Amino acid sequence: MDRAEKREFVTELNGVFTNAGSVVVAHYAGLTVAQMNDLRSRMRSAGGTVKVAKNRLAKIALQGTESEGVADLFTGQTLIVYCDDPVTAPKIAVEFTKVSDKLVILGGAMGSTMLDADGVKALATLPSLDELRAKLLGMIVTPATRIAQIVNAPAGSVARVIGAYARKDEAA
């Protein structure tokens, strides 16, 4: 990498650390190219990204961001997994560790909150933002549906009684 590419990489990583919902830092030593491509495609389909981090450049990019505390994690062969949704990146990374034991989660950051490996795993168990929105919408819609059923119930009961009398008269 020449200086211009390094500057561009640092600027891009600085934007990632500033804007991403969550960032997971992991060691990837021993992953095959196929496994790495699998991880990248899983993240891409979920709306996230996987980047192999050059440690020195990542530490420079972290300076001045809320996530500056994760700089100590950048040793050895590291990669970062990030997404705008705070739960997606940890969830995909933790799921992938079940497939391949070569990916070792070191920790991460969610805004100014630093996470250790257990914190990342705990974050992965939470529902995603879309799932939470669906649950909230379901909770809002349910009372309205019940009210409509209660309001319509007396009218339905009257119609059934009249229908029963009509059938009774026809049978007689």
Side-chain angles (χ1 to χ4, degrees), residues 8-171:
E8 183 180 323
F9 186 75
V10 167
T11 304
E12 183 181 341
L13 275 184
N14 186 283
V16 166
F17 292 126
T18 304
N19 300 324
S22 65
V23 177
V24 177
V25 181
H27 280 161
Y28 68 95
L31 279 180
T32 64
V33 173
Q35 289 172 326
M36 185 66 99
N37 287 337
D38 182 34
L39 176 62
R40 283 191 166 120
S41 66
R42 287 180 189 208
M43 277 305 296
R44 197 175 310 117
S45 66
T49 308
V50 175
K51 277 199 183 297
V52 173
K54 295 196 176 291
N55 295 334
R56 190 174 52 79
L57 298 179
K59 288 177 182 180
I60 292 169
L62 277 166
Q63 292 174 356
T65 65
E66 292 180 330
S67 306
E68 198 167 356
V70 297
D72 298 338
L73 300 177
F74 288 94
T75 57
Q77 293 181 334
T78 55
L79 60 80
I80 57 171
V81 181
Y82 60 92
C83 188
D84 291 335
D85 180 14
V87 178
T88 302
K91 190 173 283 196
I92 300 290
V94 169
E95 284 175 8
F96 193 79
T97 59
K98 294 174 183 170
V99 175
S100 172
D101 60 343
K102 302 292 185 193
L103 184 72
V104 179
I105 296 175
L106 302 174
M110 187 174 74
S112 61
T113 306
M114 300 309 125
L115 304 168
D116 60 355
D118 292 330
V120 171
K121 290 175 184 170
L123 190 60
T125 61
L126 296 175
S128 70
L129 196 56
D130 290 336
E131 291 171 6
L132 287 174
R133 286 179 181 150
K135 286 181 182 180
L136 183 62
L137 187 61
M139 291 169 61
I140 291 170
V141 169
T142 300
T145 305
R146 288 188 182 152
I147 290 172
Q149 289 172 346
I150 291 169
V151 169
N152 290 333
S157 297
V158 170
R160 283 191 291 279
V161 169
I162 292 173
Y165 277 116
R167 285 191 295 278
K168 183 179 175 185
D169 287 341
E170 287 176 5

